Amino acid sequence: MAFAMSAARAEVLRRIRDALGDERAPAPPPAPAAAAAAPRVADPVARFTQRVGDYRAGVTVVEDASEVGAAVAAALTRHAAADAVVPADLPAGWVPTGIAALADDPPLPHARLAQVGAVVTACALAIAETGTLILDGGVGQGRRAITLLPDVHVCVVGADQIVGTVPEAIARLAGTPRPLTLVSGPSATSDIGFVRVEGVHGPRRLEVVVSRRA
């Protein structure tokens, strides 16, 4: 009797399988592994200076803030800039002697800014992976116009301001109420005929001074 019932059960199951076909539902794909954490840059200063150089910008690394003024002076000399506009709150030690420093206080007219040889500023942050400077109009940066009209921009970056990647920069800048200006190399475009034209939207020359210590 048990054999008869087992045989009947087997027959029922066979018919069900025949009706359904022999296809099996594909096995679900394995659960995706957790997204790997964004790789961090091992040496942000080295990567940043390399990237800045890739953009044809000048870059100088100094050991501490006491050497910033000399590095800024050398950068201005390389581009024969006899004067420079500076934000009113730029550290005094960053302004070299022997150059006409024009404090943007009260704000200089745009026509005057266009005649100045250079601008010297700080920045809010820098990104090693892209060689990008980020300005937010904070301390030592001044208003946006002074970093767009002069022909040369000398920007001072502290090593502790350099983050590895764009996501790190976004996280660091979360909640910043001011508009951001991102600078990746001198202003240039190849929109027309693939001919590189420099200085279209901002300074033709960019010099970056990185200070390893404050």
Side-chain angles (χ1 to χ4, degrees):
M1 185 65 177
F3 172 78
M5 291 183 63
S6 177
R9 180 173 181 274
E11 178 60 16
V12 169
L13 293 176
R14 185 190 65 78
R15 293 183 181 182
I16 293 174
R17 284 196 296 270
D18 288 347
L20 295 176
D22 197 28
E23 295 181 357
R24 300 286 189 273
R40 292 182 176 276
V41 176
D43 187 341
V45 172
R47 181 67 63 84
F48 175 71
T49 56
Q50 175 194 350
R51 292 287 192 256
V52 170
D54 290 344
Y55 286 122
R56 304 184 187 179
V59 58
T60 304
V61 180
V62 300
E63 291 303 315
D64 59 50
S66 68
E67 301 175 16
V68 168
V72 170
L76 295 174
T77 299
R78 278 195 292 275
H79 299 287
D83 55 3
V85 59
V86 298
D89 54 356
L90 191 75
W94 294 6
V95 182
T97 57
I99 189 167
L102 306 174
D104 189 43
D105 183 22
L108 297 169
H110 289 175
R112 182 69 182 98
L113 289 175
Q115 297 171 343
V116 177
V119 56
V120 182
T121 74
C123 70
L125 210 60
I127 305 173
E129 198 60 70
T130 60
T132 300
L133 301 164
I134 301 178
L135 287 76
D136 68 355
V139 175
Q141 299 168 58
R143 58 194 172 111
R144 179 177 288 181
I146 69 171
T147 62
L148 296 178
L149 294 174
D151 197 43
V152 179
H153 183 186
V154 181
C155 187
V156 181
V157 185
D160 59 350
Q161 292 180 293
I162 303 175
V163 300
T165 63
V166 172
E168 290 176 69
I170 292 174
R172 182 84 74 89
L173 293 168
T176 299
R178 296 181 291 268
L180 304 176
T181 300
L182 278 64
V183 179
S184 297
S187 172
T189 180
S190 300
D191 289 346
I192 302 177
F194 301 106
V195 176
R196 181 181 173 89
V197 179
E198 298 178 333
V200 176
H201 308 297
R204 289 189 305 145
R205 304 287 178 259
L206 175 65
E207 292 277 349
V208 180
V209 177
V210 179
S211 177
R212 293 190 181 277
R213 293 187 298 277

